[in-house]
Amino acid sequence: PSSAGVNGQLEHTVALRGDSQLSSSWLLDAKTQQRWTEQPSSSGGVQALFEQHVDESRLGLHWQPVDHTWTMSVTYDYERYQNDPNLSSLDSVDTQKLNSELVNMRWFASAQWTVNLNWSHNEVTSTQQLSTGPLVASSPYSDNFDQLDADTSWQFTKAGLLTVGVRNAANTAFQYTEIDPLNPRFSKGRMLYAQVKLGW
């Protein structure tokens, strides 16, 4: 499908997903998606069309015994960004590749309480745009880091949910967010948060 965004921006998406129930406790699922964005621009009366391509793939193995109150998932993620080299205003990345291995454990402590623990190992390589006066140069960048996230949720009413958590609990000092401030998937340093959802 395609959708129109702000300022005449056009987004296209192609996706494929499938899963297989290996047994009563094991599920294997996979998905792949490609998105590309076309953004019109005008400078000095000259019209131009800049593109951004994003490829995303995920493979996951999930374990959820019927008679247990906890589940576990092992997931592999791959992402690739490709920005138009002539467009420096979209973000600071020319090309970026991210590989992540994720382990998730979830404990259903009761009908109202749920606890989540996520650990991921991440490898990112990219070329970053560096503005030097009127010139724009590219610099290679790479990082390798682990991240630990945890949260607990309390369903205090049928339509009310309180979640309290911590991002990057190990407080690893990586610099991933400095590459692309518009797509900060990871936190730099420890971050505590609380979220309330209400419905009626």
Side-chain angles (χ1 to χ4, degrees):
S2 301
S3 61
V6 296
N7 300 324
Q9 178 176 297
L10 188 62
E11 296 183 358
H12 311 270
T13 304
V14 177
L16 179 65
R17 181 172 185 173
D19 60 70
S20 177
Q21 189 75 44
L22 303 179
S23 69
S24 59
S25 302
W26 292 92
L27 174 69
L28 179 68
D29 72 343
K31 69 175 182 180
T32 182
Q33 176 176 278
Q34 184 179 75
R35 294 182 288 116
W36 64 97
T37 302
E38 297 175 346
Q39 179 174 316
S41 178
S42 177
S43 178
V46 178
Q47 299 289 329
L49 191 65
F50 300 110
E51 294 187 355
Q52 178 194 51
H53 292 261
V54 181
D55 297 321
E56 300 169 295
S57 297
R58 166 172 286 194
L59 178 64
L61 181 63
H62 313 278
W63 179 56
Q64 184 173 8
V66 178
D67 55 347
H68 285 68
T69 59
W70 61 281
T71 66
M72 184 176 70
S73 298
V74 179
T75 307
Y76 170 75
D77 281 348
Y78 170 80
E79 295 179 358
R80 181 179 183 275
Y81 287 80
Q82 176 68 59
N83 285 329
D84 194 310
N86 298 313
L87 181 62
S88 59
S89 61
L90 186 61
D91 56 44
S92 61
V93 173
D94 285 330
T95 302
Q96 175 179 285
K97 293 181 181 179
L98 173 67
N99 293 276
S100 297
E101 295 86 37
L102 172 69
V103 177
N104 167 261
M105 297 181 66
R106 176 173 295 182
W107 176 38
F108 301 97
S110 68
Q112 290 79 32
W113 288 92
T114 304
V115 179
N116 287 294
L117 182 66
N118 294 285
W119 174 86
S120 63
H121 175 71
N122 309 277
E123 298 178 359
V124 59
T125 59
S126 73
T127 55
Q128 180 182 10
Q129 293 182 4
L130 301 176
S131 297
T132 56
L135 302 177
V136 177
S138 294
S139 173
Y141 176 90
S142 64
D143 204 355
N144 186 317
F145 57 91
D146 298 333
Q147 180 163 320
L148 181 65
D149 304 327
D151 68 75
T152 181
S153 298
W154 174 37
Q155 189 84 40
F156 54 90
T157 67
K158 290 184 177 180
L161 180 69
L162 171 65
T163 301
V164 178
V166 56
R167 291 287 311 276
N168 195 23
N171 196 24
T172 305
F174 52 82
Q175 301 179 7
Y176 175 70
T177 53
E178 294 183 359
I179 293 183
D180 188 358
L182 299 183
N183 295 287
R185 174 174 175 176
F186 301 96
S187 304
K188 184 178 181 182
R190 186 181 299 113
M191 180 180 70
L192 301 174
Y193 65 92
Q195 182 181 55
V196 178
K197 291 184 179 181
L198 299 173
W200 55 86

